[in-house]
Amino acid sequence: MTDSAAPRPNHELVLLTKPDCHLCEAARETVAAVADDLGLEWQEKSILEDPELERRFAEEIPVVMIDGVQRDFWRIDPERLRRLLTS
């Protein structure tokens, strides 16, 4: 991996999900694969554990947050995610 393709240090990558969500399953696989390839850690949070997240994202799950900013939702594109994490 070249320096230009290296992820910025200290990226916070979070996938917001909820139980029994088929799009969340696909998003989980995409985020895991991209993060693993880039050597990044990530976390998954259920919106049902936080009333504010549930209110804010109830209709947009799954959601990818990078450094606290919503960057993608519903169907997560792996190439877009990779670009966001390496730019």
Side-chain angles (χ1 to χ4, degrees), residues 31-47:
V31 170
V34 171
D36 184 54
D37 189 47
L38 296 176
L40 290 174
E41 293 188 20
W42 65 283
Q43 57 183 303
E44 181 176 341
K45 291 183 182 178
S46 171
I47 62 167

Side-chain angles (χ1 to χ4, degrees), residues 39-80:
L40 290 174
E41 293 188 20
W42 65 283
Q43 57 183 303
E44 181 176 341
K45 291 183 182 178
S46 171
I47 62 167
L48 301 183
E49 296 173 6
D50 183 324
E52 176 60 22
L53 290 177
E54 185 174 12
R55 182 195 63 75
R56 184 173 170 199
F57 296 112
E59 301 300 320
E60 296 181 352
I61 291 301
V63 174
V64 169
M65 305 286 285
I66 299 174
D67 301 328
V69 177
Q70 179 180 351
R71 300 308 304 246
D72 215 346
F73 66 101
W74 290 337
R75 299 196 187 277
I76 310 305
D77 180 283
E79 294 308 314
R80 173 176 159 72

